[in-house]
Amino acid sequence: MENKKRDAIAILGCGVVGSATARILTQDIDFLKTRTNLNFFLKYIIDVNFAYAKKLNLSDSLFTDNLDAVLVDPEVLVVVELVGGTTFAKEAAIKILNAGKNLVTANKALLAKYGTELFSIARKNNVSISFEASCGGGIPIVRAIYDGLLANKQDALYGILNGTCNYILTEMCSNGVSYENALKEAQEKGLAEADPTLDVSGMDSAHKLAILSSIAFGMQIDTGSIAVSGIDNLDIFDINSGKELGYIIKLIAMARLVDGKLSLKVAPSFISKEHPLAWVAGSFNAISIYSHTLGHSMYYGRGAGGSPTASAVAADIINVFLGTSERFFSLPIWPDKTKPASLLPQGEEKGRYYLRINAKDQPGVLSKIASVFADYEISISSVIQKEMPEESTKSHVPIVIITYAAKEENMHKAITKIDTFDIVKEKTVCINIMDEHEEIFNV
Amino acid sequence: MENKKRDAIAILGCGVVGSATARILTQDIDFLKTRTNLNFFLKYIIDVNFAYAKKLNLSDSLFTDNLDAVLVDPEVLVVVELVGGTTFAKEAAIKILNAGKNLVTANKALLAKYGTELFSIARKNNVSISFEASCGGGIPIVRAIYDGLLANKQDALYGILNGTCNYILTEMCSNGVSYENALKEAQEKGLAEADPTLDVSGMDSAHKLAILSSIAFGMQIDTGSIAVSGIDNLDIFDINSGKELGYIIKLIAMARLVDGKLSLKVAPSFISKEHPLAWVAGSFNAISIYSHTLGHSMYYGRGAGGSPTASAVAADIINVFLGTSERFFSLPIWPDKTKPASLLPQGEEKGRYYLRINAKDQPGVLSKIASVFADYEISISSVIQKEMPEESTKSHVPIVIITYAAKEENMHKAITKIDTFDIVKEKTVCINIMDEHEEIFNV
C-alpha cells in the first residue's frame, strides 16, 4: 500500500455541497493542479441518489453506492463526508478513519456531538479530520483560529453563523416582513429547508459555536452547555420597536471569557446600527474575534450554499495532499487533546435587555412593574409606552423597557414575577441587547 | 549543525513591531508553548538602538548589534526582519537567507521591490520567507489567499490597506476635519510618521497590493505598473459634496481581472454608504476578495500597530517551527515561480467619476462643458451647481458632475480639454466612484 500512489478522492453524499465539490474537482481540475502543483483526482462519488451529480455530465464510472469497496481502495487518500446528520454519518466517519483515510467533513452536528471521539479515532489511525466547511461555509475561519490567530489568547467570539436565520431577520428588520412570510421566502429561494427547525431554533448555530469555541479557547465544549434560543418566536412588533431605538436584530452565537470562565450563548440580539456585525445582511455569515494581541478581527462571507461551501471542502482536500496536516497531529487544541471547558454558570452573565411588557392600560401599572425591577437590582434606562393603533381590539398596551446591565438570572426572576401579575396579559418579551465588545490588548 | 537543536529566534530591528514581537516571545512564551506544543525561544534582539526593547525588562544577554555573529549560531532557525526600508533590509535579508535561516518579515517595500529575487535566494538555500505581517497588519489575509481560498480563481481584490490614510479620511468624512488637521491628529496619535509621504501618497498601499495580488492571481507584479494616487490632494469640499450624494471616501487598492488582463490601481474612491467597505473606519484595514467558487469574502482587523502586527509575525514564526512551510516549497504561486502579469493598459478600464469643475458663473458654461463630454462618449448622470457661500470672493462656481461608466482614458482627455477653457479657473477635480463588485460564481 505504501508504494501505491495515493492520489484519489472520494465524496460520500452528493447533495448540494457534494455535487458542487464534484464540479470543482472535475471542471476546475486543471486549474487546481496548476495552482497547487499537486496531482489528485476525483475517483468516487458515493450515494444512493445521484440526482444532483448527474447534472454535471460526469463519467458513470465515478458513481457507486458501496462505501466499503471504496475504503479498501489503496489509492484513496481522502474521503469527503457530506451526508449530514449524526447517525449514518457517524458510522461512516468511523469506518473512513479506521480504514486509514483522511476525513474532510462539513458536518457540524456530527463534530459538535462526537468530535472528541472521532478525533481520537483519527489519531489512532494516523489520519486527520479537516472541517473548514462545517462553520461559516466558505469563510476560512477554522484556519484563522488554528493558524493566523494562534499566537493570541482569545477573549471573545461573536458569530452570525446561520445564513437562513440571517436572511429571515434581514427581511423582517429591513423590509418589515413577518417571520412566517420571511421563512416562506427563504424556503422558496432554497435558503431554508422544508423543516427549518435546526436552523431557526438556533441549534445549527450552537453546533458551529461549539466547534469554533473548542479550538479558539482550547477547551472541550458540550453543545448542551450552550444557552440556545432561536428566532421562531420573534414578533415583528419588537423588531420594529428595536429599530426605532436604533437597534438591528441578529441571531448571535457568542462565546466570551468572563473572569476566566467561558460563557456560551446563542440568542436573537439587538445590536446598534454602528456595531461591526450590523451590516452583515441576507444569507451572509460573519465572525468577530477579540484577541489579546491582534484585538478585533472579523471574517465575512457566504456561510452556506453549494459552491461557497465546496470552496472550503476543496481547501481542506488540498491541505491533505500538501501534507500540511501537521497541525492536526502536533497542536494540542483539538477536542481530544483538551479538557472540558470551565463554564460560567448560566444566568451569571450581565447584559442589557429589551423588554416588552403587555399590561392593562390603567394607573399604577408602571410603578408596580418598576418596583419589581428595583427588588432585583435592575436599573431602567428608558421606557416607552407605545400607543396602540386605533383598530386594535386589545385592552392592553405594550410597554417597552430598555435596562442597564443586569445579571441575567435576576432579569429572568423579575420577568417571572411580572408575568404573574393580573395586569399583565401576555408573556413578557425579553431580547438581549449586545453592545460592541471592548478590545483589550494585553500589552 | 543537523544534530543541534534549532529552536532559537532572532529579531532584527527593534522598533514598535520588533519590541511587541519580543514581548509576545517572552511574556507569553508559556502560553505559546502550551498552545503549540512546540519548544522555541527568543535568543537575540539585533539593533543599534534598544530604546523600545529596554522598556520590556528583558535580559541584557538578548541584545546584540552583530547580525553576522547571530547568523553563524546553528541554534537559530528563524530571523525576523523588522528594520524596514529597502537598502540595509535587502542586504540583511540576503545574508539571512544565505546563512540558511528562515526569514519572517513585515517589510512590504522590500518584498514589493525585490520579492522575486529574495524568493529565489530563499529557495536555493532551502529556507522559507513568510510575510503575513507585510499586508493588513495582523489580519491573516496572506494565509487566506495561499490556503483558505486556494481552490478559487480570484476575480478581484479590493483593500483598505493603509491605516494612516483610513484614519485621516474617516476624520475628514465623518467629522469634517481638513486634510491638514486630520494628518496632524494622526501624527499626534502615533498613527502617522513625521514624514507621512509613503502612506499618504498611496505608495504603501501599492506595495501591499503588489504583494497580495501576486499570490492571489499567481502573477509577478511590478509596483511600477500600478496607477497610484494618494490622499494628499483631497479637498474637504469634495468629500462633503460626495457625502451629500451618499458617498464615503476611502483609499482603495484594487486589482481586477478585466477580460483576462489585470487592472491595478490605488486611488481615493467614493463608495456608497451601503458598500461592504464603507463601515471600515479609523485605522482599521479590510480586504474584500471576489472568488469564482466562494464569491465575496472579507477580512477585517487592525492593519498597523505593534501588538496587532506582532500577532502576524508570531503566527509566521510558529509556522516555521511547525514545519508547515511546505506551501512555500511546493506551491507555484510565489513571485519567483510565476510569470509577469498580463496587464490591462492604463486608461482602458471603465468606471464612474465624480468631477468638480470650477467655472465662471456665466451663461453657456454648462453647454460648453457638456459638449466635451459628448465628444468623448461620456454620459452625465447628474449635475449639481453648488451655490457659493456669500462671503466667498471667488468669481467662479463649482459644478459637480457624476458620470455614468466611461473609459478612464476618455475621462482624462475630456478633463484636459475642459481645463484649457478660459471659463475654467482651477484644475478639475476627478475622483473615482467605485460601485460594489459583482459576485460571479463560475457554477
Side-chain angles (χ1 to χ4, degrees), chain A residues 268-311:
Chain A
S269 307
F270 278 127
I271 59 178
S272 144
K273 278 176 195 160
E274 314 299 321
H275 191 285
L277 290 171
W279 66 283
V280 179
S283 63
F284 275 92
N285 280 196
I287 300 100
S288 269
I289 301 185
Y290 292 79
S291 312
H292 90 299
T293 296
L294 175 53
H296 181 204
S297 63
M298 190 180 164
Y299 309 84
Y300 165 92
R302 294 207 170 264
S307 184
T309 309
S311 164

Side-chain angles (χ1 to χ4, degrees), chain B residues 155-173:
Chain B
D155 182 37
L157 183 154
Y158 296 84
I160 293 176
L161 294 174
N162 185 280
T164 307
C165 290
N166 204 50
Y167 177 86
I168 292 171
L169 295 183
T170 304
E171 284 302 294
M172 291 177 79
C173 197

Side-chain angles (χ1 to χ4, degrees), chain B residues 213-356:
Chain B
S213 309
S214 74
I215 55 171
F217 297 93
M219 302 171 177
Q220 286 174 6
I221 312 277
D222 176 0
T223 310
S225 65
I226 302 175
V228 183
S229 41
I231 64 166
D232 40 345
N233 288 317
L234 287 175
D235 193 313
I236 188 73
F237 177 90
D238 297 302
I239 290 176
N240 288 334
S241 298
K243 202 173 165 184
E244 283 167 30
L245 295 163
Y247 295 112
I248 285 171
I249 190 90
K250 293 286 171 198
L251 183 68
I252 306 282
M254 44 197 142
R256 295 182 277 210
L257 276 179
V258 181
D259 302 330
K261 293 189 185 295
L262 199 60
S263 166
L264 296 162
K265 188 193 269 189
V266 173
S269 306
F270 277 128
I271 59 179
S272 143
K273 279 175 192 160
E274 315 298 322
H275 191 283
L277 290 171
W279 66 283
V280 178
S283 64
F284 275 92
N285 281 195
I287 301 100
S288 270
I289 301 185
Y290 292 80
S291 312
H292 89 297
T293 296
L294 175 54
H296 181 203
S297 63
M298 188 181 165
Y299 309 84
Y300 166 91
R302 292 205 169 266
S307 184
T309 308
S311 164
V313 170
D316 277 351
I317 293 172
I318 292 169
N319 241 1
V320 175
F321 282 96
L322 277 174
T324 44
S325 14
E326 278 85 357
R327 282 170 188 275
F328 180 82
F329 297 109
S330 59
L331 292 183
I333 65 171
W334 314 105
D336 64 316
K337 293 279 192 178
T338 55
K339 295 196 176 130
S342 168
L343 296 172
L344 189 75
Q346 283 186 20
E348 282 296 306
E349 208 174 351
K350 283 190 164 190
R352 296 200 296 133
Y353 293 91
Y354 162 103
L355 304 171
R356 171 168 50 97

